[in-house]
Amino acid sequence: MTSSPHEQPRTAWAPTPPPECPAHARFGATDQLARLFGPEAAEDPMGLYERLRARHGAVAPVLLDGDLPAWLVLGYREILEVAGTPARFSRDSRIWRWFREGRVPPDSPLLPMIAWQPVCLFLDGDERTRLRLAVTDSLERFNRRGIRRHITRFTHELIDGFAERGEADLAEEFCEHLPMLVLTQLLGMPDEYGPRLVTASRDMVAGTETSVASNAFIVETLSELVRRKRGSRGHDVTSWLLEHSSGLTDEEVWNHLRVILIAANETTVNLLKSTLRVVLTDPRCHASLAGGQMTLPDVVEQVLWSEPPLMTIPGRWAAVDTEIGGQKVEAGDMLLLGLAAGNHDPAVRPDPSVPLHGNRSHLAFSSGPQECPGQNIGRAIADTGIDALLARLPDVRLRIPEEQLSWTSGWMTRHLSSLPVAFAAHRPPGPAAEADPARTAAKPERRLRTAAQSGWPAAVSGPGAAAEPVVPFPSVVSPPAPVRRRRTSWWGSLKAWLRG
């Protein structure tokens, strides 16, 4: 497969550390270190991780944007050790030496993901326990069947948009929209805010030169949501966080909504893309699904092992001088958790070709006390959404050779740029289908009235839009445009199996 040009701009503000800088003594000549913002990482991240493993072992020195040194933890057991010992490896990014020494510029693309915030991701001890309990309790209040109804509804709505064409780019027209549409429902927002949040969140995680502005748009959007929910509660995560016994402030609520929104959307979009690619291209998957040896959730778990949605996450900062993986780490150093590299660690997975059916011990959702509390929502979106899509488009097939698929890389992620498919064109179901609640797709006009009645401004245009009272929300009307770098036979059996 080909890889698209990497999308990470380098921040020119921070020069390479001078010879007298401690980074040289501890990391060696920094101009010889691997850069996670650069063409090598963008073209072949897994190859880079294996080369680093061969050279340095389970923990390798690397450079971040602006040539800021950090440690990349590649070993499975070492990742568990770092994630599970907060006394040695703190979540508080404020102790990072480069923050304290003023070496991180205010427009660094690293900041949206590592700047300290009052959320459980950046806290230790009792405060972290208080906030994480509120998030976990709120996410667990959702009825699983209710979530799946939302997923099925939006899946059909998205397919309706391209069914008559007989072809589509599933990456752009399906995967990049379904998670956010579901999340807007779970957070208590009108559907129409999904597309703008998709653009902003993807841009922010990619670490482009507009990522800081995209983060500002998300913050303003969620701050306004919290203000509205203070006066009008509902059956949603925002309302449940506000009323939780942990007593979260408005700032704590919208900060945690931001974490949920960004983490859940980015990981689930990537999971959808990778799982669909495997289903469409891997003969082993074809045979297993068609023969009933593997279920779609099994495929999802296999993908979480082989292609975790987040390749690397900024995980910890050394609280004390310590040692990990044979490397001497000093207090204030940053440690990145290499989730993809850990999943491929030969020490725990000597033969990557062996299927791992039912094995959930991968690191795709991190590990230990910091393990993602919303991971089951992501799994539900992936397996329910793809299940419904395959039932609706049983003859769907890749429109180009697999080798021509391209990828886009950021410092944390690597995802398919496009997934062009073809299928038998057909008209979307008529009015009779709207009698089925699980199949109903809300019409723009109906959404517009619902948004206006609840006090939300309309984010769509069309007949009747001018008649509704519109309050600008938020004042940043839209996120900044991100910088863009640059067999049919078995499906019949699969369709019968899915409906059996």
Side-chain angles (χ1 to χ4, degrees):
M1 296 184 189
T2 59
S3 179
S4 64
H6 64 92
E7 60 180 287
Q8 319 97 309
R10 293 274 310 287
T11 299
W13 180 88
T16 300
E20 67 274 10
C21 175
H24 272 88
R26 292 183 298 110
F27 291 92
T30 56
D31 57 356
Q32 297 178 8
L33 296 184
R35 290 177 167 84
L36 294 190
F37 275 77
E40 185 180 15
E43 291 294 328
D44 183 18
M46 288 306 305
L48 172 62
Y49 301 154
E50 292 311 311
R51 289 189 291 274
L52 288 172
R53 196 195 309 272
R55 180 179 178 184
H56 299 284
V59 179
V62 295
L63 294 177
L64 299 176
D65 182 77
D67 283 352
L68 300 176
W71 297 102
L72 177 60
V73 186
L74 304 162
Y76 183 95
R77 294 186 178 90
E78 287 74 16
I79 290 175
L80 294 181
E81 181 179 348
V82 171
T85 51
R88 293 164 57 204
F89 304 104
S90 173
R91 300 174 181 85
D92 192 338
S93 64
R94 292 173 294 186
I95 69 175
W96 190 25
R97 67 173 64 249
W98 305 115
F99 273 152
R100 298 201 310 264
E101 296 178 10
R103 293 183 50 81
V104 184
D107 61 347
S108 169
L110 301 173
L111 285 178
M113 301 305 297
I114 65 173
W116 187 89
Q117 305 148 47
V119 296
C120 53
L121 290 179
F122 293 96
L123 292 167
D124 299 308
D126 293 341
E127 266 300 275
R128 178 189 172 279
T129 301
R130 176 181 73 89
L131 295 171
R132 184 175 170 89
L133 179 63
V135 172
T136 302
D137 287 349
S138 298
L139 291 175
E140 289 181 349
R141 288 184 64 173
F142 277 110
N143 177 281
R144 293 188 179 182
R145 291 184 179 179
I147 292 176
R148 293 182 186 274
R149 282 195 296 270
H150 287 312
I151 299 166
T152 302
R153 170 198 164 198
F154 287 122
T155 294
H156 285 295
E157 178 180 347
L158 290 168
I159 295 173
D160 287 348
F162 53 75
E164 291 186 84
R165 300 204 317 262
E167 63 179 36
D169 182 343
L170 291 183
E172 180 180 343
E173 299 179 75
F174 180 72
C175 300
E176 292 188 4
H177 294 277
L178 180 60
M180 191 64 79
L181 289 171
V182 176
L183 288 169
T184 56
Q185 293 290 306
L186 303 189
L187 269 59
M189 303 175 70
D191 300 345
E192 49 267 33
Y193 283 90
R196 290 185 286 172
L197 290 169
V198 166
T199 302
S201 62
R202 174 128 295 203
D203 182 51
M204 194 190 84
V205 173
T208 73
E209 61 194 49
T210 57
S211 60
V212 174
S214 290
N215 180 60
F217 169 78
I218 293 171
V219 168
E220 186 172 359
T221 300
L222 296 177
S223 297
E224 179 63 18
L225 170 62
V226 172
R227 287 194 292 270
R228 290 178 180 274
K229 288 295 180 179
R230 275 290 182 194
S232 179
R233 306 289 173 84
H235 189 74
D236 52 68
V237 171
T238 307
S239 299
W240 295 334
L241 285 173
L242 286 168
E243 65 190 30
H244 195 271
S245 59
S246 294
L248 275 66
T249 66
D250 283 8
E251 183 183 15
E252 290 173 334
V253 171
W254 66 250
N255 267 293
H256 281 89
L257 292 177
R258 174 183 172 277
V259 171
I260 294 170
L261 190 75
I262 301 305
N265 181 69
E266 181 69 17
T267 56
T268 309
V269 166
N270 292 344
L271 181 58
L272 279 168
K273 290 181 178 181
S274 295
T275 304
L276 273 170
R277 181 191 64 78
V278 170
V279 167
L280 291 171
T281 63
D282 193 330
R284 295 171 301 176
C285 179
H286 290 180
S288 294
L289 280 174
Q293 301 172 29
M294 182 188 295
T295 67
L296 201 51
D298 288 333
V299 179
V300 170
E301 293 304 319
Q302 187 69 41
V303 169
L304 288 169
W305 270 102
S306 302
E307 300 176 28
L310 294 179
M311 305 284 283
T312 302
I313 59 173
R316 299 294 186 275
W317 288 265
V320 295
D321 291 347
T322 186
E323 183 174 329
I324 181 76
Q327 300 282 12
K328 295 185 182 299
V329 177
E330 294 186 7
D333 285 354
M334 179 196 285
L335 294 98
L336 308 172
L337 304 185
L339 306 183
N343 278 353
H344 288 79
D345 187 346
V348 296
R349 195 179 172 194
D351 185 357
S353 66
V354 175
L356 295 162
H357 300 172
N359 188 334
R360 289 193 173 191
S361 60
H362 53 72
L363 301 170
F365 297 107
S366 190
S367 178
Q370 198 61 49
E371 191 170 17
C372 175
Q375 59 184 275
N376 287 331
I377 294 177
R379 284 188 173 99
I381 293 173
D383 64 58
T384 302
I386 294 176
D387 191 341
L389 182 142
L390 296 179
R392 180 84 179 272
L393 307 175
D395 61 337
V396 66
R397 60 198 180 277
L398 199 61
R399 206 167 70 232
I400 63 173
E402 181 182 1
E403 297 75 25
Q404 293 181 16
L405 293 174
S406 62
W407 302 76
T408 300
S409 295
W411 71 296
M412 293 172 57
T413 64
R414 181 176 186 261
H415 57 88
L416 278 170
S417 303
S418 64
L419 193 61
V421 298
F423 47 85
H426 63 277
R427 290 181 176 275
E434 295 200 8
D436 179 3
R439 172 66 183 80
T440 300
K443 304 298 184 184
E445 293 82 7
R446 186 187 312 153
R447 286 196 205 160
L448 186 62
R449 290 195 298 273
T450 302
Q453 290 165 359
S454 65
W456 289 86
V460 295
S461 59
E468 303 289 357
V470 176
V471 180
F473 170 75
S475 59
V476 179
V477 176
S478 60
V483 176
R484 299 186 181 275
R485 314 286 185 193
R486 274 260 171 261
R487 302 169 244 228
T488 303
S489 59
W490 79 277
W491 283 110
S493 300
L494 175 58
K495 179 180 178 183
W497 171 76
L498 286 170
R499 293 178 173 175

